[in-house]
Amino acid sequence: MSKVHESADALGGDDFVDDFIPADDDEDGISLDGDGQEAHSNRKRKVDEAEIGLDGQNGSETLVEGEEQDKQEPVGEPEKKKQKKQKKPKAPRREADPTALFVEQGIPLVDTTSFGSERTDEQLVSFLREFLYEKNKNAFSEATTKTLSPGSPKVLIVSPSAIRSVQIIKPLRSLGKHVRVAKLFAKHLKVHEQIALLQTERTPVAVGTPNRVQKLLEVGEGGAPLKLDHLEYIVIDGTHRDKKERTIFTVPEVKNDLVPLFRTLRERKPDVKFAIY
């Protein structure tokens, strides 16, 4: 989103101060008549007699037609120059298609249009339980959690930042006290701390940023810390907007991390399903 400039047609300052110069300031403008009286030349009179007529009856001065015309505004002066320029209305912001990246990578998406609720953080648990796992009511039960291998979540939620990840984790607590959520993002746990957690904890749900998730998928001693054995869904936090109205798909540095992450996940887990929340 230019500054509005006012018209500069009108002259300002003292541009016309010296239009009329007193006669005693210019000796060339003074002459002596026969009686020794000073007579000002017609050149130095404020108004030329040619432009003034005398009324023979009352001696009053009347302006001739030529002077009246001089007072009129210049012919053809644009009226728009006297007005402030109007700001042009902003063009409507073009919305980025959240599905475009998946189409480019040839990744099919779960059709989530039938999920009727507004996609807020508070409705995320409902999205997981009642939509993705509508046919499996025990997906997040304590008994099911015990069957999972350490470091192998059922659902991986990918968010654009660490702060956003924390916001997502809060409502997930309603899944139950037995459901631990793996925190796979920076500014909270260091990489070696996350590796230790993944090696020992059963976490049905994991929330992380693309860059950190990719690091934890890299092969290390004993294999990649983040395992995909039980992974069924990858949920992209795609409708949330930050203060600058950006999504995970429109922040360049985050979008650039998404492509290699999706490729890695597809190579290692071909049957995993992708969904945008």
Side-chain angles (χ1 to χ4, degrees):
M1 298 144 341
S2 57
K3 295 184 179 178
V4 179
H5 296 281
E6 295 185 354
S7 173
D9 288 347
L11 295 174
D14 297 327
D15 296 330
F16 296 112
V17 165
D18 295 327
D19 274 7
F20 303 114
I21 303 175
D24 56 357
D25 289 341
D26 188 354
E27 293 182 357
D28 292 337
I30 299 175
S31 61
L32 296 177
D33 61 10
D35 296 331
Q37 300 293 327
E38 293 181 354
H40 295 287
S41 66
N42 291 340
R43 183 173 58 84
K44 294 302 179 181
R45 298 190 60 178
K46 292 184 179 179
V47 182
D48 198 323
E49 289 182 358
E51 295 176 331
I52 299 180
L54 295 178
D55 189 338
Q57 296 179 353
N58 53 26
S60 62
E61 293 182 355
T62 58
L63 297 178
V64 296
E65 183 177 356
E67 184 178 10
E68 184 66 27
Q69 291 178 348
D70 290 341
K71 289 188 176 183
Q72 296 179 359
E73 296 181 354
V75 178
E77 181 180 2
E79 187 66 23
K80 293 182 180 179
K81 289 185 179 181
K82 296 184 179 181
Q83 301 176 355
K84 293 182 178 180
K85 295 181 181 179
Q86 299 295 327
K87 289 184 178 180
K88 293 182 180 180
K90 297 179 183 178
R93 178 168 53 86
R94 295 180 62 184
E95 296 289 343
D97 182 3
T99 66
L101 181 62
F102 296 90
V103 173
E104 292 173 3
Q105 299 299 317
I107 301 175
L109 285 170
V110 174
D111 184 1
T112 62
T113 54
S114 60
F115 181 69
S117 302
E118 186 178 358
R119 304 198 181 193
T120 62
D121 294 351
E122 291 72 23
Q123 293 296 328
L124 179 57
V125 170
S126 176
F127 178 76
L128 298 178
R129 273 183 171 165
E130 301 172 17
F131 185 80
L132 294 184
Y133 286 97
E134 180 183 9
K135 297 179 180 180
N136 184 3
K137 300 299 182 180
N138 297 320
F140 301 102
S141 67
E142 187 172 2
T144 301
T145 299
K146 290 180 179 180
T147 65
L148 300 176
S149 302
S152 181
K154 294 173 67 68
V155 178
L156 172 61
I157 301 175
V158 182
S159 74
S161 68
I163 294 177
R164 177 59 187 156
S165 296
V166 172
Q167 294 172 344
I168 292 173
I169 289 173
K170 289 181 179 179
L172 293 177
R173 294 170 182 168
S174 62
L175 286 172
K177 293 181 179 180
H178 61 279
V179 177
R180 295 206 61 179
V181 178
K183 303 170 184 177
L184 311 181
F185 47 88
K187 299 182 180 179
H188 186 78
L189 294 173
K190 296 181 179 180
V191 175
H192 71 271
E193 293 175 322
Q194 291 168 334
I195 292 175
L197 182 146
L198 291 170
Q199 290 175 341
T200 58
E201 297 289 343
R202 291 178 173 84
T203 56
V205 181
V207 179
T209 53
N211 186 273
R212 183 55 61 91
V213 171
Q214 181 70 38
K215 286 183 179 179
L216 295 170
L217 284 170
E218 294 174 356
V219 177
E221 294 182 6
L226 179 59
K227 303 184 184 305
L228 307 180
D229 300 344
H230 300 284
L231 186 65
E232 295 176 337
Y233 288 100
I234 297 171
V235 178
I236 313 300
D237 180 32
T239 56
H240 171 78
R241 296 181 181 277
D242 63 12
K243 293 180 180 179
K244 296 182 180 180
E245 290 295 307
R246 302 178 302 178
T247 70
I248 193 172
F249 302 110
T250 57
V251 180
E253 54 270 26
V254 178
K255 182 180 178 181
N256 292 339
D257 289 335
L258 282 175
V259 175
L261 174 61
F262 289 170
R263 288 175 180 170
T264 301
L265 291 170
R266 291 266 290 172
E267 288 173 0
R268 299 190 187 179
K269 190 72 173 179
D271 59 344
V272 70
K273 297 176 183 178
F274 288 79
I276 298 176
Y277 179 74

